[in-house]
């Protein structure tokens, strides 16, 4: 096997490991605070420990995992304040993405309407897995169309945070499904080209999600760090 082929295989393995961990968190099979070990994932996925180590490093950089001296790697467990900080930044960035992309999306509304139709179907059939998948596509479309690489990368990293991945697991089904109302209002604003209204709707939508998460009991959050 050539060096380039080995490198490609290693890169693919790291990506597969990262996807496996991400999906396990999304489905609630890995919980915030749960410790992860290299040897466990190497054996389960039949991959090398260096590949697992690199996947851990990448997911830690994205904020999904955390690495602590003498304690190893675990699924990130956030305090209420950290969650609020995350939502504040997300609201600002998503609002900006909507404002920048509305002129382009309003000129070609079909991709957004197609995602909304899929969201509406998921809501009607109460398919929370589909709701989660199409919700991510809905939000990332604005960042992609904005053609702002830095904005897109920051929102991708935020979307991989543990509280978004576990949102449907932590919050009552009806409340998750109910968030689709804001999506429909946003589509209407974008269709008319009203970028400022669309931005306001997105910021409010993100804040409503913040309130749903903050309404969870204290056991879903890490204890505040003493200062």
């Amino acid at each position: 096997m050539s060096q380039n082929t080995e490198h490609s295989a290693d890169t693919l393995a790291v990506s597969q490991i990262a996807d496996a961990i991400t999906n396990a968190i999304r489905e609630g099979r890995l919980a915030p605070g749960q410790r992860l070990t290299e040897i466990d994932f190497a054996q389960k996925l039949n991959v090398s420990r260096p590949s697992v180590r690199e996947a851990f490093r990448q997911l830690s950089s994205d904020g999904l995992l955390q690495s602590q001296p003498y304690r190893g790697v675990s699924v990130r467990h956030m305090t209420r304040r950290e969650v609020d900080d995350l939502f504040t930044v997300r609201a600002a960035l998503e609002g900006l993405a909507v404002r920048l992309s509305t002129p382009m999306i309003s000129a070609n509304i079909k991709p957004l309407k197609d995602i909304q139709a899929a969201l509406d179907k998921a809501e009607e059939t109460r398919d929370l897995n589909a709701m989660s998948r199409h919700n991510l596509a809905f939000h990332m479309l604005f960042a992609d169309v904005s053609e702002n690489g830095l904005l897109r990368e920051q929102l991708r990293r935020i979307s991989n945070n543990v509280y978004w991945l576990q949102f449907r697991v932590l919050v009552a089904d009806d409340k998750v499904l109910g968030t689709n109302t804001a999506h429909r209002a946003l589509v209407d604003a974008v269709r008319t080209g009203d970028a400022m209204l669309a931005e306001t709707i997105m910021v409010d939508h993100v804040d409503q999600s913040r309130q749903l998460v903050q309404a969870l009991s204290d056991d879903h959050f890490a204890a505040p760090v003493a200062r």
Side-chain angles (χ1 to χ4, degrees):
M1 182 182 291
S2 70
Q3 186 174 0
N4 286 340
T5 301
E6 289 178 354
H7 177 72
S8 297
D10 288 343
T11 301
L12 180 60
V14 170
S15 177
Q16 290 174 334
I17 297 162
D19 287 345
I21 295 171
T22 299
N23 289 333
I25 293 173
R26 178 182 290 113
E27 294 167 6
R29 290 183 281 113
L30 291 175
Q34 185 169 338
R35 188 168 177 268
L36 311 181
T37 63
E38 291 177 12
I39 190 169
D40 184 36
F41 279 92
Q43 292 174 345
K44 284 181 179 178
L45 302 176
N46 193 28
V47 294
S48 68
R49 289 185 64 172
S51 293
V52 175
R53 190 177 307 126
E54 176 59 20
F56 282 179
R57 188 197 65 78
Q58 291 183 9
L59 293 175
S60 295
S61 177
D62 282 348
L64 187 61
L65 303 180
Q66 60 183 359
S67 179
Q68 297 173 297
Y70 311 112
R71 299 185 64 182
V73 176
S74 61
V75 180
R76 188 177 179 190
H77 201 193
M78 301 176 72
T79 66
R80 285 188 182 276
R81 175 58 186 270
E82 287 174 328
V83 172
D84 256 1
D85 289 347
L86 190 68
F87 273 99
T88 298
V89 173
R90 180 192 173 196
L93 293 180
E94 292 227 38
L96 175 61
V98 167
R99 175 155 47 89
L100 293 176
S101 62
T102 289
M104 289 83 83
I105 295 180
S106 64
N108 180 24
I109 196 72
K110 186 177 185 303
L112 183 63
K113 290 184 69 175
D114 286 347
I115 297 174
Q116 185 59 54
L119 280 167
D120 290 341
K121 182 178 180 180
E123 180 185 12
E124 180 182 355
T125 59
R126 302 182 66 81
D127 186 338
L128 293 173
N129 283 325
M131 173 70 77
S132 176
R133 185 171 65 254
H134 297 309
N135 179 70
L136 177 60
F138 183 95
H139 284 263
M140 288 306 299
L141 178 66
F142 295 100
D144 291 339
V145 173
S146 75
E147 298 182 346
N148 186 311
L150 178 60
L151 178 61
R152 180 172 59 248
E153 175 61 17
Q154 293 304 311
L155 283 173
R156 184 198 66 79
R157 288 170 63 108
I158 288 176
S159 74
N160 267 349
N161 182 273
V162 64
Y163 278 89
W164 271 269
L165 292 176
Q166 289 203 315
F167 183 66
R168 70 172 183 81
V169 176
L170 297 173
V171 178
D173 295 357
D174 287 340
K175 292 180 179 178
V176 174
L177 296 170
T179 63
N180 194 35
T181 300
H183 295 144
R184 287 190 286 268
L186 187 52
V187 171
D188 289 341
V190 171
R191 186 174 60 245
T192 63
D194 193 334
M196 297 302 292
L197 176 59
E199 179 181 16
T200 298
I201 292 172
M202 177 60 86
V203 171
D204 288 345
H205 173 50
V206 173
D207 189 64
Q208 289 172 5
S209 296
R210 179 191 67 80
Q211 293 178 47
L212 288 177
V213 173
Q214 287 291 2
L216 296 168
S217 60
D218 287 342
D219 60 337
H220 290 294
F221 302 90
V225 178
R227 297 184 182 277

